[in-house]
Amino acid sequence: MASANSVQDCLETRTDVSREGLRQAILDNLFYVTGHAREMAEVHDWYAAVAYTVRDRMLSTWVKGLEKLAANRNMRAVAYLSAEFLIGPQLGANLLALNITEPVRGALSDLGQSLDEIIMKEPEPGLGNGGLGRLAACYLDSLASLGVPAIGYGIRYEFGMFTQEIRGGAQVELSDKWLRQKFPWELAHAEHTHVVGLGGSTSTHVDEKGRLRVRWKPGKKIMACAHDVPVIGHGGRECNVLRLWRAEAVDTFDFESFNAGEYFKAVQEKIFSETISKVLYPNDDRYQGKQLRLGQQFFFVSASLQDMIHIQKVLGKPLATFHETFAIQLNDTHPAIGVAELMRLLVDEHLMDWDQAWAITTRTFSYTNHTLLPEALEKWPVELFAEVLPRHLEIIYEINRRFLDEVRAAHPGDDDLLRRLSLIEETGPRYVRMAHLATVGSQAVNGVAELHTELLKRDVLRDFAVLTPGKIRNVTNGVTPRRWLALCNPGLSGLITSRIGEGWQTRFEDEIIRLEEFASDPQFQKLWREAKHANKVRLAELARVHAGLTLDPETMFDVQVKRIHEYKRQHLNVLRVIALYNRLRRDPGMDFTPRTVIFGGKAAPGYYMAKKIIKLINSVGQTIDADPAVAGRLKIIFAPNFNVRNGQVIYPAADLSQQISTAGKEASGTGNMKFGINGALTIGTLDGANVEMLECVGRENFFLFGLTTEEVAQVKQAGYDPRRFSESVPELGEALEQIASGMFSGGDREEFRPLVDNLLSRDDYLVLADFESYMECADRAASAYADRDNWTRMSILNVARLGKFSSDRAIREYCGKIWNIRVG
Ligand code: 26Q
């Protein structure tokens, strides 16, 4: 390992990567860092010892990464601002990046320990809900692997995403105490702290130089403490940092109250301060005007901007060139308050004039939109905003005033346009529109798939698209082939590498296509099938041990794992399973591809319908399980607690990937890509990135069904009546009738009434309209599966042609189209 000067002074036990050296180091860390005697150590202690051993081996690159940022005065760094980073388990990924998995495995085996067992014991930092949080983590991996200097900025939630248990078929949420044992990957940096204000009031005064100035006197002050997690690039040569802020009480504040004899108040202030980074909101579909959430957003954004300004100073650069040092990416509108906060820091704190500050701000920020669902667009009631961030509301008004003046000058007399573009919604109660703030404050806005970007330009941001053509761009999402193939699927990875070498791990978009050549090779097909089969056995084993479920690896694994949401239409999938069940019961002798339909995903705790869907999946599963007539042919199961770790076992085991959202609703989807690069074929609608996946793999290798976005609009336009479908499609009517009759709920007709009633009366997501097309397509997929050789050929072709969906490609596009950063 290359060693920086500072490292040369250190003991070799912290850098040696030989099996023997690692063995020594693990023992050393076990004793001196975790404080355990070898004889008494439990799996978790061994985990910690290994983690520290690996962390030691990252530190020289880590420190060099920071030095590089500091030394390279002309380099622009990415600051990726995200309320979520779903980084997943770290040990396996870091071992892979450093290429020391085998020596560590050997060292542990010399110590009588199993690396695989230790890896399974690692608590997972669940600092995100789903796609958006995981995307941020994939992008950090690619940034580091491509050698692009970057800092991820987010929140160190004490409680991440809840743990899901299934009791009596229903979701139960347990709090996620991922920090119960120390998180060995982070370094807490007491020296990197910033004070963040909240609430209070503003006043104006004329300063000593005669300038009119605004003073914000916050009602509360909170300290943000940096906790840094290393993000090592593939090959271990580059290291970036994920800086997560933890909220702490500002000591002086305590003392003020304390000295005034208000001990109780002092302690309460402390408790409030720490509340800010306490818990992740487990909501990924519906914006809720919760005061604490706005507090969280401002807290991490303000700390991050202060941190960047501090770095700018350390670099000895003037604030006037801030935008040359940093390209700030807003991961959805959650950090959009940064636009107003940077203005405040520049204008109020650093006395810059407004126009210059605005020029810098709008050259610094870019914004990624992840949703078209109107109920998911963030808008804060003006009154609440004024309470939490009075100064920022004034700044937003000022931004809006100047912005609308410009619009008025360009489009005189168009008051309706002004109303539509305004940062403030004024029809009824007034709201701050965060997507508008993010768009006006950014130099570029992007959607996350071609279709999504087109719809953004047509609907949600239409007026902006007309006003500033070219500002709204597309960068289709991608996933890291390191975690989502190399790490999670060693069997298939080894096979791929045996034919095309290991270049695909770093140049996926160029190299993986070379697999095409082997698609019809019978020997290769056989090995490909064996790798898939082994992954199915691995999943079955895990499901048995951890959830008491029995899965038969000889059946087709037909999988839908993702957050539970009506627009993702898990209930459409359940209706299909019920219809299949009915067919089997009617005609036990029928030709039928034996199937295991696997579901997984969390429902937001307050999302009633989503929870009903989980209950329905489990209820149908029970009923089918209890029926000997279909045994061994059809099974439906719900895999509890879908998270990154479980995903790493589930994606590689899937034969068929369900991507069945209503066209126009799923911005991109990234699970579709993870399934695809692990050799699952997709059954899906023309939605999100499915469209581009289909283009890449070819229609003949994709199971396409359902209404298009345009057809969805037409059906709704014409006055959609779901009952027409339940009446005219016998299998559909029958399934709905069975659910309503209590067939899956022990005769209880109330349990699923809300679900059935909703489908029959509203069906906002056109489940019934797409049912017939879906059934027909799923039948085609099942028949295709029966032709093993052809299925395998299609599976190989899918993997070979999905190179585009690497997050390395996505990050290169961001560098070129959005950040103006050169990448080697
Ligand atoms: C907002 C306000 C208050 C509380 C919570 C939230 C909140 C939190 C998380 C809103 C949305 C999210 C997450 C959204 C998300 O994951 N969207 C997904 O992003 C993926 C990456 O671009 C896409 O692939 C998916 O299509 C999109 O649904």
Side-chain angles (χ1 to χ4, degrees):
M1 163 152 295
S3 47
N5 288 337
S6 48
V7 177
Q8 273 165 4
D9 306 336
C10 299
L11 289 173
E12 188 136 300
T13 52
R14 294 193 189 267
T15 54
D16 190 342
V17 291
S18 71
R19 177 167 171 157
E20 174 54 21
L22 287 161
R23 193 189 71 88
Q24 273 296 327
I26 293 169
L27 282 177
D28 194 77
N29 279 317
L30 183 68
F31 189 76
Y32 284 102
V33 182
T34 79
H36 284 94
R38 183 175 165 181
E39 300 70 31
M40 303 291 284
E42 296 178 29
V43 180
H44 177 268
D45 308 317
W46 285 107
Y47 161 69
V50 177
Y52 286 118
T53 303
V54 176
R55 193 183 81 175
D56 288 341
R57 278 138 191 85
M58 298 163 71
L59 259 163
S60 63
T61 333
W62 191 353
V63 172
K64 265 188 287 179
L66 297 176
E67 284 167 0
K68 188 169 143 191
L69 197 71
N72 242 319
R73 298 191 69 242
N74 299 320
M75 203 128 106
R76 199 177 194 204
V78 177
Y80 200 89
L81 264 57
S82 178
E84 307 189 0
F85 285 94
L86 196 43
I87 57 178
Q90 295 294 289
L91 178 54
N94 287 333
L95 289 173
L96 175 70
L98 293 172
N99 193 23
I100 55 172
T101 309
E102 289 320 311
V104 167
R105 188 189 302 283
L108 280 166
S109 122
D110 294 344
L111 293 164
Q113 302 299 315
S114 143
L115 175 61
D116 293 326
E117 194 186 326
I118 287 170
I119 281 179
M120 288 309 286
K121 280 277 160 16
E122 174 177 4
E124 159 168 350
L127 308 185
N129 274 285
L132 166 148
R134 183 54 231 177
L135 187 78
C138 282
Y139 284 178
L140 290 186
D141 177 77
S142 285
L143 284 162
S145 295
L146 293 170
V148 178
I151 310 179
Y153 281 113
I155 302 175
R156 184 178 176 277
Y157 299 106
E158 189 176 328
F159 297 94
M161 192 59 201
F162 64 82
T163 299
Q164 177 194 57
E165 281 191 5
I166 301 298
R167 297 190 194 151
Q171 166 174 296
V172 174
E173 300 100 20
L174 307 179
S175 69
D176 161 54
K177 288 199 171 179
W178 70 287
L179 288 168
R180 192 165 18 211
Q181 280 121 0
K182 277 189 68 170
F183 182 55
W185 303 101
E186 71 185 0
L187 285 180
H189 278 296
E191 71 279 17
H192 294 295
T193 60
H194 303 281
V195 176
V196 176
L198 279 179
S201 57
T202 66
S203 57
T204 51
H205 67 283
V206 177
D207 71 8
E208 60 285 359
K209 291 196 178 140
R211 293 173 298 207
L212 182 70
R213 293 187 52 191
V214 181
R215 187 184 286 137
W216 173 29
K217 189 170 185 304
K220 293 193 175 75
K221 289 187 182 175
I222 297 166
M223 211 154 68
C225 303
H227 288 64
D228 287 356
V229 182
V231 182
I232 193 124
H234 192 76
R237 284 174 305 278
E238 310 278 348
C239 194
N240 286 327
V241 58
L242 169 57
R243 179 159 284 179
L244 301 175
W245 300 106
R246 181 178 119 93
E248 275 179 31
V250 178
D251 294 338
T252 53
F253 241 61
D254 281 352
F255 281 122
E256 264 176 39
S257 309
F258 189 69
N259 292 337
E262 297 183 62
Y263 169 76
F264 196 78
K265 183 169 170 245
V267 175
Q268 272 192 325
E269 289 282 339
K270 187 173 155 61
I271 289 173
F272 172 82
S273 301
E274 290 171 0
T275 304
I276 284 285
S277 60
K278 192 63 80 177
V279 54
L280 167 76
Y281 278 89
N283 223 328
D284 74 342
D285 42 66
R286 187 171 296 264
Y287 142 84
Q288 284 174 310
K290 287 276 161 39
Q291 180 155 338
L292 182 65
R293 169 81 182 180
L294 184 58
Q296 286 186 335
Q297 295 180 347
F298 179 68
F299 163 76
F300 94 88
V301 168
S302 175
S304 307
L305 287 170
Q306 292 182 57
D307 204 49
M308 287 178 244
I309 289 176
H310 172 77
I311 293 173
Q312 178 81 352
K313 279 206 193 116
V314 171
L315 295 179
K317 295 198 215 164
L319 270 183
T321 64
F322 184 78
H323 58 286
E324 294 172 13
T325 311
F326 292 105
I328 303 182
Q329 193 65 31
L330 301 172
N331 198 21
D332 214 297
T333 55
H334 314 153
I337 186 61
V339 171
E341 173 66 350
L342 182 57
M343 286 301 288
R344 188 192 67 84
L345 289 167
L346 295 178
V347 173
D348 291 2
E349 306 276 330
H350 294 93
L351 311 180
M352 195 179 276
D353 76 66
W354 181 280
D355 290 319
Q356 188 188 5
W358 185 243
I360 291 170
T361 298
T362 51
R363 282 168 176 73
T364 301
F365 285 102
S366 304
Y367 153 54
T368 305
N369 172 287
H370 297 265
T371 188
L372 299 162
L373 301 185
E375 68 270 25
L377 292 176
E378 281 191 295
K379 48 178 197 176
W380 297 99
V382 163
E383 293 70 35
L384 184 145
F385 211 99
E387 218 174 282
V388 179
L389 299 167
R391 177 58 184 143
H392 297 79
L393 185 60
E394 294 174 0
I395 291 172
I396 288 169
Y397 282 149
E398 181 62 12
I399 294 172
N400 200 32
R401 188 183 66 76
R402 289 166 181 252
F403 169 59
L404 294 181
D405 277 351
E406 281 178 25
V407 177
R408 206 175 285 111
H411 303 265
D414 195 344
D415 284 356
D416 205 50
L417 178 66
L418 296 182
R419 222 180 347 267
R420 294 197 308 269
L421 283 169
S422 176
L423 305 194
I424 309 294
E425 182 181 308
E426 320 213 39
T427 52
R430 292 157 71 225
Y431 293 98
V432 182
R433 295 164 161 163
M434 299 309 274
H436 291 210
L437 176 62
T439 302
V440 172
S442 291
Q443 52 102 25
V445 176
N446 77 283
V448 290
E450 274 165 19
L451 174 67
H452 169 65
T453 304
E454 285 313 306
L455 295 175
L456 257 187
K457 290 195 277 196
R458 213 180 68 193
D459 302 335
V460 180
L461 298 178
R462 181 179 57 234
D463 295 312
F464 290 99
V466 174
L467 198 66
T468 41
K471 184 166 177 174
I472 305 178
R473 307 164 197 181
N474 177 249
V475 183
T476 298
N477 283 168
V479 301
T480 169
R482 269 81 60 186
R483 181 178 293 266
W484 296 114
L485 183 51
L487 179 64
C488 73
N489 199 343
L492 199 67
S493 296
L495 179 58
I496 292 171
T497 300
S498 75
R499 298 299 148 103
I500 66 170
E502 54 187 13
W504 62 270
Q505 295 200 19
T506 45
R507 294 185 309 279
F508 196 70
E509 55 284 40
D510 304 324
E511 295 289 322
I512 199 69
I513 188 72
R514 294 173 49 208
L515 270 186
E516 262 198 8
E517 190 189 320
F518 305 96
S520 301
D521 170 345
Q523 177 60 16
F524 190 72
Q525 286 186 353
K526 177 165 172 285
L527 294 168
W528 189 270
R529 255 196 311 273
E530 282 169 4
K532 178 63 78 181
H533 189 265
N535 291 335
K536 291 164 78 170
V537 170
R538 176 174 70 151
L539 173 59
E541 181 62 10
L542 196 84
R544 187 182 62 77
V545 173
H546 290 276
L549 300 164
T550 358
L551 278 65
D552 180 358
E554 306 312 318
T555 63
M556 176 183 192
F557 280 11
D558 174 332
V559 190
Q560 187 173 21
V561 286
K562 49 179 77 239
R563 286 300 289 258
I564 312 293
H565 200 292
E566 287 162 283
Y567 85 76
K568 296 178 189 280
R569 301 199 296 191
Q570 281 92 354
H571 44 348
L572 173 58
N573 195 349
V574 180
L575 286 168
R576 172 182 67 109
V577 173
I578 295 174
L580 292 176
Y581 175 51
N582 289 330
R583 286 184 191 173
L584 276 175
R585 288 201 308 166
R586 261 192 294 275
D587 179 8
M590 75 182 282
D591 190 17
F592 189 87
T593 305
R595 244 161 296 184
T596 305
V597 181
I598 300 168
F599 289 83
K602 292 175 186 177
Y607 189 171
Y608 179 79
M609 282 296 179
K611 289 183 143 180
K612 282 283 173 208
I613 292 174
I614 292 180
K615 188 84 199 277
L616 180 64
I617 295 167
N618 284 302
S619 305
V620 172
Q622 269 203 340
T623 306
I624 294 184
D625 266 353
D627 190 339
V630 296
R633 306 228 269 170
L634 180 62
K635 193 168 172 83
I636 164 173
I637 67 135
F638 190 91
N641 203 38
F642 180 61
N643 57 11
V644 175
R645 183 204 310 289
N646 294 335
Q648 288 176 196
V649 183
I650 294 172
Y651 294 118
D655 295 306
L656 188 64
S657 154
Q658 299 276 343
Q659 306 300 335
I660 61 177
S661 52
T662 316
K665 298 296 180 191
E666 188 70 270
S668 162
T670 44
N672 45 4
M673 305 167 189
K674 294 164 198 165
F675 277 113
I677 66 174
N678 282 281
L681 301 194
T682 304
I683 177 167
T685 48
L686 280 178
D687 200 16
N690 293 355
V691 179
E692 290 156 76
M693 289 176 61
L694 178 148
E695 278 167 15
C696 288
V697 304
R699 275 186 181 253
E700 67 285 7
N701 298 306
F702 190 105
F703 297 98
L704 177 65
F705 77 95
L707 299 170
T708 62
T709 308
E710 288 69 33
E711 289 164 350
V712 166
Q714 284 160 14
V715 168
K716 293 206 166 180
Q717 185 72 37
Y720 174 52
D721 175 16
R723 276 216 161 74
R724 248 193 45 220
F725 291 93
S726 67
E727 283 158 12
S728 66
V729 184
E731 288 196 296
L732 175 58
E734 181 184 23
L736 286 165
E737 178 50 39
Q738 288 168 330
I739 298 172
S741 74
M743 172 168 162
F744 305 108
S745 40
D748 181 349
R749 304 174 69 92
E750 296 310 308
E751 175 83 79
F752 299 119
R753 185 190 294 277
L755 210 54
V756 175
D757 281 355
N758 183 283
L759 285 177
L760 288 175
S761 59
R762 301 177 52 89
D763 190 18
D764 289 333
Y765 301 105
L766 303 199
V767 171
L768 306 202
D770 268 345
F771 176 83
E772 227 181 347
S773 161
Y774 180 48
M775 277 313 280
E776 182 275 323
C777 187
D779 288 344
R780 261 192 292 127
S783 317
Y785 185 75
D787 180 350
R788 305 286 269 158
D789 292 346
N790 193 48
W791 183 275
T792 308
R793 204 188 105 263
M794 291 200 290
S795 165
I796 299 168
L797 287 178
N798 261 262
V799 176
R801 296 174 180 177
L802 289 175
K804 169 176 172 185
F805 302 94
S806 162
S807 46
D808 297 345
R809 184 274 313 153
I811 286 300
R812 281 203 178 87
E813 274 188 44
Y814 274 99
C815 286
K817 292 194 203 177
I818 312 271
W819 300 327
N820 190 27
I821 290 178
R822 287 213 350 251
V823 36

